[in-house]
Amino acid sequence: MSAQRPLIRRTKPLFKASPPSSVDLPFSEPSNESPDSIANSADTFLAEKIMLTLKRGMHSRSSLFLSLNASVYLDVISKCRHNLPFASKFVDSVSRNNPNFKHSSTSLSAAVHILVRCQRISEAQALILRMVRKSGVSRAETVESMACAYNICGSDLYAFDLLIRTYVQARKLREAVEAFRLLLSRRFCVTINACNSLLGGLVRIEWVDLAWEVYREMIRNDVPVNVYTLNIMVNAFCKVGKIEDARLFIDEMDEKGILGDIVTYNTLVSAYCRKGLLDDGFELMNAMSLKGLKPCLLTYNSIVKGLCKKGQYQKARVVLNQMVASGFNPGSSCYNALLAECCRKGNVSESEAIFNEMAGLGVLPDLLSYSSLIGLFSRIGCLDRSLEYFKDMKLKGIVPDNVIYTLLIGGFCRNRSISEALKMRDEMSAQGLPMDVVTYNTFLSGLCREKMLSEADLMFNEMVERRVFPDFCTFTTLMNGYCKDGNMERAMSLFDSMLQRNLKPDVVTYNALIDGFCKAGDMKRAFELRDHMISESICPNCITYSTLINGYCNKGCIYNALGLFEEMVGLGIKPTIVTCNSLVKGYCRYGNAEKAWEFLNKMHSEGVFPDSVTYNTLIHGLIREERLDRALNLFYEMENKRIFPDVVAYNAILGAFCRVGRMEEANLMYRKMIGRGINPDRSTYTSLINGHVSQENLKEAFIFHDEMLLRGFVPDDKF
């Protein structure tokens, strides 16, 4: 990369600060001199004494610098402007012998200029950092002092570049822009390197509009841009999703002779992939060769990550193979994208194959690689495999973080092993890793699932005491737990606490509360919550309506439920089979299974198809109406549609046969059940035993009694 030529305009400096004069002191006694005149004479004498010390190479005495002030400092610097070794020695002597010396903005700027001229850039930047962090000093004063010292010290413009770059590195971007504008207003040329540093800093924090303002000011002031400027501004376009505008900008710069490089096109490819426009990304990658550019590792990585993000694992795998064929060695970043996608899909064998392939190619797995696999096995309940990878990563010197421990804790909680989850929490604490809100939420979810609500409350209190702030997920989890437990008073108390903390509930929060009140039979409170969420601009969804419909059906209010169903459809909310199953249940409880069947046929035409719950509900409804043969036909229809009956369906038919004394058919249904691999439960045997007893067939009854015992079920001996 060729070095940039300093762009210094050969114009007269705007700031011509004359150094303080060094007038020789008369040896006669002063007569009527003013105090100011005496002070100036003393300063001049001190400056001359310091100069003499520097010229003779004598060891600088600390006492010489104790009465030094900013004016004398500037006087000495001015006298040394053509003798850099003297100037450098003076700056060092003051710093060493008078570390608490009170600089003015101009004297500090003068020191910066001297250090820049001596190529002591890091020390110069340290002094600039002092200037920009100094409270009560405006950007105008800083730029003014740097400009004034520029004339005193005869420095070069790199000092101003360093000023801009220091503002950027100190993350004082607004101040950097102000300093940039002040320098331009004083007709100082800011080089392209400083401008690029400023543009890059602004784009990095996504202050894109301000970056474009700076860019336009650069163009107006004839600052010649380069390919680095091009890449920064292309990135600015991509940051705000204006990829096509970025391509037009590249074409404009192309016409000006500034050609895009591999970074330019990688930025575009990455932007296309992030937006899911993979075809455009592929097209651009293939077109790079027309520009004399070859895709690099970053290009391929962007494509692979984009494909994985879109769930196109197989295509990502093909691109990975192309990478290898082109001589690139995919790194952990590329493999992690593939691994994360495989784990997300739950493909265990392929996930482990990728992990092993990484090892075979010498690509070291990192924290992300292990978190994907540990997360996969924790989700599917293979905790032994999760722990194997957990131990393996520690053996390889990879230190687990909060994410890894939280994944394992979540796995144990889902597996109902709360005690093991707590052991993992203890290990996490021993490693100096505090639990964050995600870890606490994971624990709370597990405790609520196990209905350990008092323990959940204790953990919630611990969370608050440790100043880990609960989020809406925390409150929703606890509310859902209390709603399922029927404790609506506590659930609403948590809801009020949530609102007091200015945490905005979402539709999931409201649905949990509505479900709780519906199960408690309090439809009035359920509808009050529905109205409240609408007033808060939170739209009820399919789950909201399905919950309310189910609440009405449980109370036998089928017509209220149907009215709500029509409202739901009228709002454009598509019902699901769960919604339909509630209405089927409502019709059956109302004693109208035929109407339920008609409703189901209507929904079938709307693309909603029955499931096992639907058939089970209808079968029970028909049996309750003593229409056993119709229920049996529905049972066989269920099989024909490859919706295989479960133990609930078998028990319904078998129990009905037993109650009406059709024991031969009941026995056939039992044998069929066993043949299909459906394990009978206690209800199955109770029906069969009671049926045979009612027919005075005690021998058969005892046979089923003994079989019931063999399967581990305890009869109640009431037959």
Side-chain angles (χ1 to χ4, degrees):
M1 183 175 66
S2 60
Q4 295 290 320
R5 282 177 54 190
L7 301 165
I8 306 174
R9 295 190 191 145
R10 301 300 180 183
T11 57
K12 292 183 180 180
L14 295 179
F15 298 96
K16 244 176 172 5
S18 300
S21 58
S22 52
V23 181
D24 293 332
L25 288 173
F27 288 101
S28 58
E29 289 186 9
S31 53
N32 295 319
E33 289 182 302
S34 67
D36 286 344
S37 175
I38 295 170
N40 288 338
S41 299
D43 286 352
T44 304
F45 179 74
L46 179 59
E48 291 292 348
K49 195 169 183 180
I50 290 171
M51 285 297 299
L52 184 63
T53 302
L54 293 171
K55 285 176 184 177
R56 290 180 178 177
M58 296 166 61
H59 182 69
S60 302
R61 294 169 296 165
S62 59
S63 59
L64 196 61
F65 299 96
L66 293 179
S67 56
L68 189 67
N69 58 40
S71 176
V72 175
Y73 193 98
L74 280 170
D75 195 1
V76 175
I77 290 287
S78 176
K79 293 176 187 296
C80 295
R81 62 180 294 173
H82 299 301
N83 192 330
L84 279 181
F86 278 14
S88 178
K89 185 178 179 182
F90 171 67
V91 169
D92 290 342
S93 296
V94 174
S95 176
R96 183 175 57 253
N97 293 304
N98 192 355
N100 297 320
F101 176 66
K102 291 184 179 180
H103 273 289
S104 68
S105 295
T106 309
S107 66
L108 195 58
S109 297
V112 169
H113 282 293
I114 293 297
L115 291 171
V116 167
R117 288 181 65 195
C118 294
Q119 301 296 308
R120 294 166 63 180
I121 304 302
S122 60
E123 295 167 86
Q125 190 167 26
L127 290 184
I128 292 176
L129 197 58
R130 276 177 59 186
M131 291 170 64
V132 302
R133 287 179 173 170
K134 191 175 181 182
S135 61
V137 179
S138 67
R139 260 65 62 200
E141 184 181 340
T142 300
V143 171
E144 188 79 26
S145 64
M146 286 287 288
C148 183
Y150 170 77
N151 291 320
I152 293 171
C153 301
S155 182
D156 61 47
L157 293 179
Y158 184 77
F160 298 109
D161 281 19
L162 201 59
L163 176 66
I164 299 293
R165 291 155 76 98
T166 304
Y167 272 122
V168 173
Q169 289 170 19
R171 298 183 181 180
K172 293 178 175 288
L173 276 302
R174 290 197 186 280
E175 293 86 341
V177 172
E178 190 179 342
F180 165 78
R181 287 170 171 164
L182 285 165
L183 286 168
L184 289 181
S185 70
R186 286 159 173 74
R187 288 186 288 170
F188 277 97
C189 180
V190 182
T191 69
I192 188 59
N193 288 339
C195 291
N196 284 345
S197 173
L198 177 54
L199 289 173
L202 291 168
V203 173
R204 196 174 301 115
I205 63 169
E206 300 187 5
W207 288 3
V208 173
D209 291 340
L210 189 54
W212 279 110
E213 287 180 25
V214 170
Y215 176 79
R216 284 189 283 270
E217 289 179 53
M218 287 167 57
I219 300 303
R220 279 198 300 271
N221 285 275
D222 300 322
V223 178
V225 297
N226 58 21
V227 68
Y228 300 108
T229 321
L230 167 64
N231 289 337
I232 291 166
M233 300 322 293
V234 165
N235 190 31
F237 274 122
C238 293
K239 284 264 188 183
V240 293
K242 296 181 178 180
I243 307 175
E244 295 310 313
D245 288 344
R247 295 193 75 161
L248 290 173
F249 182 71
I250 291 169
D251 292 340
E252 288 174 14
M253 296 293 275
D254 199 3
E255 290 173 5
K256 295 176 182 177
I258 299 171
L259 305 179
D261 59 8
I262 188 67
V263 175
T264 318
Y265 288 94
N266 278 345
T267 303
L268 281 174
V269 170
S270 178
Y272 275 129
C273 292
R274 282 198 306 272
K275 287 191 77 173
L277 302 171
L278 295 170
D279 291 340
D280 294 301
F282 270 112
E283 181 188 340
L284 190 62
M285 185 175 76
N286 295 330
M288 286 170 68
S289 58
L290 300 175
K291 301 282 185 181
L293 301 168
K294 289 184 178 180
C296 68
L297 190 61
L298 288 175
T299 322
Y300 283 111
N301 276 350
S302 295
I303 295 287
V304 169
K305 289 177 182 178
L307 288 167
C308 289
K309 189 177 177 182
K310 292 280 283 187
Q312 298 179 23
Y313 171 76
Q314 293 302 329
K315 283 188 179 181
R317 189 79 206 187
V318 169
V319 174
L320 184 80
N321 294 337
Q322 288 176 1
M323 285 175 71
V324 176
S326 299
F328 292 110
N329 186 18
S332 60
S333 174
C334 192
Y335 272 110
N336 282 342
L338 288 166
L339 189 57
E341 176 57 18
C342 267
C343 290
R344 187 187 67 79
K345 288 184 172 180
N347 192 333
V348 174
S349 58
E350 186 68 15
S351 298
E352 294 201 293
I354 292 170
F355 187 81
N356 294 331
E357 184 180 322
M358 287 174 71
L361 291 173
V363 179
L364 295 176
D366 57 16
L367 201 61
L368 195 58
S369 317
Y370 280 103
S371 66
S372 292
L373 284 166
I374 290 170
L376 167 64
F377 287 112
S378 295
R379 280 195 307 276
I380 64 175
C382 296
L383 291 166
D384 289 344
R385 295 291 291 136
S386 288
L387 291 171
E388 283 176 24
Y389 281 107
F390 180 63
K391 290 173 184 174
D392 184 58
M393 71 180 289
K394 290 196 287 187
L395 285 172
K396 289 178 179 173
I398 300 172
V399 180
D401 63 358
N402 285 62
V403 174
I404 296 286
Y405 279 106
T406 301
L407 288 169
L408 287 166
I409 287 167
F412 283 121
C413 287
R414 276 188 294 274
N415 204 44
R416 309 182 77 173
S417 302
I418 301 295
S419 60
E420 292 300 317
L422 289 168
K423 286 179 186 176
M424 195 58 65
R425 187 270 303 267
D426 294 340
E427 181 180 326
M428 180 181 177
S429 300
Q431 296 297 321
L433 295 170
M435 287 170 62
D436 59 15
V437 67
V438 179
T439 316
Y440 274 110
N441 287 348
T442 303
F443 259 119
L444 291 172
S445 179
L447 292 169
C448 289
R449 195 181 297 115
E450 294 300 303
K451 298 191 176 182
M452 299 169 66
L453 295 173
S454 57
E455 289 84 351
D457 265 343
L458 287 172
M459 187 155 285
F460 176 75
N461 293 335
E462 176 193 302
M463 179 183 186
V464 174
E465 286 170 9
R466 293 187 177 182
R467 303 188 66 77
V468 178
F469 298 106
D471 59 10
F472 89 95
C473 184
T474 315
F475 282 101
T476 300
T477 300
L478 284 168
M479 277 185 271
N480 191 43
Y482 279 106
C483 287
K484 288 186 183 302
D485 195 51
N487 190 344
M488 296 310 298
E489 185 180 347
R490 175 63 176 147
M492 287 306 295
S493 171
L494 286 163
F495 182 70
D496 292 338
S497 297
M498 185 179 185
L499 296 177
Q500 287 167 10
R501 289 172 180 262
N502 292 321
L503 293 171
K504 186 175 173 62
D506 65 358
V507 67
V508 177
T509 316
Y510 280 103
N511 284 347
L513 292 167
I514 289 169
D515 183 55
F517 281 117
C518 285
K519 284 176 179 170
D522 193 342
M523 297 303 294
K524 181 183 176 184
R525 295 293 301 278
F527 273 96
E528 283 174 0
L529 279 165
R530 194 276 304 263
D531 295 340
H532 187 267
M533 70 188 286
I534 292 171
S535 71
E536 293 293 320
S537 301
I538 300 171
C539 297
N541 60 13
C542 181
I543 296 172
T544 318
Y545 276 99
S546 297
T547 304
L548 290 165
I549 287 167
N550 190 55
Y552 270 138
C553 290
N554 284 337
K555 290 176 75 72
C557 305
I558 183 63
Y559 292 109
N560 297 79
L562 285 169
L564 204 55
F565 179 80
E566 294 300 329
E567 180 185 320
M568 173 185 180
V569 174
L571 290 169
I573 300 172
K574 187 176 174 61
T576 66
I577 189 59
V578 175
T579 323
C580 297
N581 284 344
S582 293
L583 286 164
V584 167
K585 177 179 66 177
Y587 274 121
C588 291
R589 286 191 176 182
Y590 195 68
N592 201 337
E594 203 59 45
K595 272 281 188 185
W597 184 248
E598 287 175 15
F599 171 77
L600 200 61
N601 286 332
K602 179 184 172 185
M603 293 314 299
H604 189 281
S605 64
E606 298 289 330
V608 181
F609 301 101
D611 60 7
S612 61
V613 175
T614 321
Y615 279 104
N616 288 346
T617 306
L618 275 169
I619 287 167
H620 275 93
L622 289 165
I623 289 170
R624 195 179 293 114
E625 294 176 17
E626 299 182 353
R627 299 171 64 187
L628 179 53
D629 290 333
R630 179 77 178 89
L632 190 59
N633 289 337
L634 204 59
F635 180 89
Y636 291 133
E637 181 185 311
M638 186 180 182
E639 289 186 312
N640 292 334
K641 289 187 176 179
R642 303 190 67 78
I643 302 173
F644 298 109
D646 56 11
V647 68
V648 176
Y650 276 104
N651 282 348
I653 297 292
L654 188 146
F657 281 140
C658 291
R659 282 192 296 275
V660 297
R662 294 163 63 173
M663 296 311 300
E664 188 174 340
E665 290 168 283
N667 288 342
L668 283 171
M669 188 61 67
Y670 173 76
R671 286 195 288 273
K672 182 177 181 179
M673 179 182 185
I674 298 294
R676 290 284 171 86
I678 307 294
N679 291 321
D681 60 11
R682 191 174 186 279
S683 177
T684 315
Y685 288 109
T686 302
S687 295
L688 286 165
I689 292 167
N690 287 336
H692 282 292
V693 168
S694 67
Q695 297 296 309
E696 298 184 354
N697 190 350
L698 295 181
K699 182 180 178 182
E700 285 290 323
F702 275 109
I703 289 171
F704 282 115
H705 177 271
D706 293 342
E707 190 172 326
M708 183 181 186
L709 291 173
L710 286 172
R711 287 184 178 266
F713 298 114
V714 180
D716 56 17
D717 292 328
K718 288 184 180 178
F719 59 88

